Amino acid sequence: MRERVLRILAVVAVLTAYVFYGSEGTWRFPLGPWGQSYYTNLAEGFLQGGLSMKATPDPALMRLANPYDFEARGDIPVLWDASLFEGKYYLYFSPVPVVLFYAPMRIVTGAYPNDALAATVFASIGFLFLAAIVRRPLWILLAGIGNVVPFVITDVLFYQVAAACGYAFTAAWAYSVVRFRNAPSIRWAIAMGVFLAMAIATRPNLLVLVFVQVLIVFPHRRVWLAVLAPLALVACGMLAYNYTRFGDVTELGMSYQMGRLPMQGRAICGVCGPGEIPRLVNHAAQYVFWPPVFLQKFPYAFVQHHRLDPAVAYPGGGEPIAGIAPITPLALLGSFFALLVAPRHTGTLLVLAGWIVLFALSSCWWVTARYTLDFLGLILAGALLCLEDVRPRWPLTVLAIYSIVVGLLLPFQRF
């Protein structure tokens, strides 16, 4: 009974922290019009019967021979990072948050939520699934706060919303994996297929999780169709969505992105030759080892920014990046333990899934803290499952408390 009360208190504490950080200390998430963010813009377009954003391009932009040329555009206003195609703006980010949250909120309340509320809700859903996996009160606090999630949901744009939404579905998939491994059934097989399909629809880079899903269900032939059917159904829907917008089932909109570099013909993820291997290694090292800066005054800890090579990506670009080892060392420690000591443990499968996602992300141009949400929940949940019975517990407790304190401090730099 006492343990159950402590678990409930831990869950309440994390959700309260998310509301505090997501609202930047105001405890308010005001609703507003469709023009307040890209996702509300897209939702308004959906509700009016289209697939494009409600906003229309500047006529001067459409008169240019090449509107994707940054220098040619000059001072003509554009929706930065939106996708311009045949006189309409689209979003290369997933429409899943629009369908599941923005549009329903508009229908129910008559106004749109801001991006901070969306990110907070999705992060909270992901946390609740992880809390159901790890169960111990201290582990629940660690899974919710002792990482970069509070940092990511502070000062939110649509980028963070997509990451938080993907985080919710990967956590839900992880929970269904644990339940299926404990008692294989059609019900949990369907759940795995649905949650994995939605995770991929939200964050296409999560397609690599299919390899782990195959490992899980391969010995259980009777559930193959239950897993594959949701994946196939959602895949067909996303391919049709792409084709209807751009006439190409594989085009997400990145080729028409309104940024600094023309994106036609560019592959932003992948290793196309030996010369790109150092980039993959470098990016993976940043995701794992990039340290925060510790100061002698409040907020005591800052997330550092890294700089990108102007010849490779965006000139002068930089993003905050936080390595999982210096902020959540139990994720790394538990990963070693899982792979070396408990290779058949369910937690090891989640750890493996997280590391596969990490290395796949490392092949991309961009390195940023919000991408950490794609793999951190999987690695941390799996690691904590594997460390559950490890003795002595006090070193693990010390590391968990350290991560919780750092996780609480990091978001203040973004207020």
Side-chain angles (χ1 to χ4, degrees), residues 99-341:
V99 175
L100 295 184
F101 190 70
Y102 287 89
M105 282 286 290
R106 170 65 175 81
I107 294 171
V108 172
T109 67
Y112 284 107
N114 60 19
D115 288 344
L117 177 59
T120 301
V121 168
F122 287 129
S124 298
I125 293 171
F127 158 70
L128 290 174
F129 278 109
L130 295 182
I133 294 174
V134 298
R135 302 187 66 78
R136 282 182 56 191
L138 185 62
W139 283 177
I140 289 173
L141 291 174
L142 176 62
I145 300 174
N147 47 61
V148 297
V149 175
F151 175 82
V152 171
I153 65 173
T154 307
D155 190 22
V156 170
L157 295 174
F158 69 100
Y159 307 99
Q160 287 83 7
V161 173
C165 186
Y167 175 74
F169 282 116
T170 54
W173 176 75
Y175 176 75
S176 64
V177 167
V178 173
R179 295 301 300 267
F180 180 83
R181 291 271 293 179
N182 289 341
S185 67
I186 295 294
R187 179 179 64 170
W188 288 112
I190 293 173
M192 286 191 298
V194 169
F195 291 138
L196 180 57
M198 295 304 295
I200 296 169
T202 307
R203 298 280 296 154
N205 59 286
L206 294 174
L207 181 64
V208 294
L209 289 176
V210 169
F211 296 108
V212 180
Q213 185 67 80
V214 170
L215 289 177
I216 295 169
V217 302
F218 187 77
H220 308 277
R221 292 188 178 183
R222 66 186 182 90
V223 305
W224 287 3
L225 181 60
V227 174
L228 290 175
L231 284 167
L233 183 62
V234 173
C236 288
M238 293 303 298
L239 294 175
Y241 175 67
N242 293 336
Y243 184 81
T244 305
R245 293 186 302 164
F246 305 116
D248 184 344
V249 295
T250 63
E251 178 58 63
L252 300 175
M254 291 183 180
S255 298
Y256 309 107
Q257 183 179 349
M258 301 302 290
R260 189 173 291 271
L261 291 181
M263 297 299 292
Q264 287 89 348
R266 295 179 182 267
I268 65 171
C269 292
V271 177
C272 301
E276 295 188 350
I277 293 178
R279 179 184 50 147
L280 184 147
V281 174
N282 175 45
H283 286 185
Q286 291 188 53
Y287 278 125
V288 178
F289 299 113
W290 193 270
V293 175
F294 292 97
L295 308 174
Q296 294 182 350
K297 60 181 181 179
F298 185 83
Y300 304 111
F302 273 77
V303 171
Q304 296 190 76
H305 284 62
H306 78 134
R307 287 290 170 183
L308 297 169
D309 181 353
V312 175
Y314 295 87
E319 283 276 352
I321 177 65
I324 60 175
I327 293 178
T328 313
L330 277 179
L332 191 62
L333 179 64
S335 295
F336 285 122
F337 182 86
L339 297 174
L340 297 177
V341 180

Side-chain angles (χ1 to χ4, degrees), residues 160 287 306 319-322 366-373 375:
Q160 287 83 7
Y287 278 125
H306 78 134
E319 283 276 352
I321 177 65
W366 209 248
V367 182
T368 176
R370 66 177 180 272
Y371 290 174
T372 305
L373 269 60
F375 55 81

Side-chain angles (χ1 to χ4, degrees), residues 394-415:
W394 68 264
L396 306 183
T397 299
V398 170
L399 290 176
I401 293 173
Y402 157 81
S403 295
I404 292 168
V405 171
V406 173
L408 287 170
L409 293 174
L410 288 176
F412 282 97
Q413 73 184 86
R414 308 190 77 173
F415 272 35

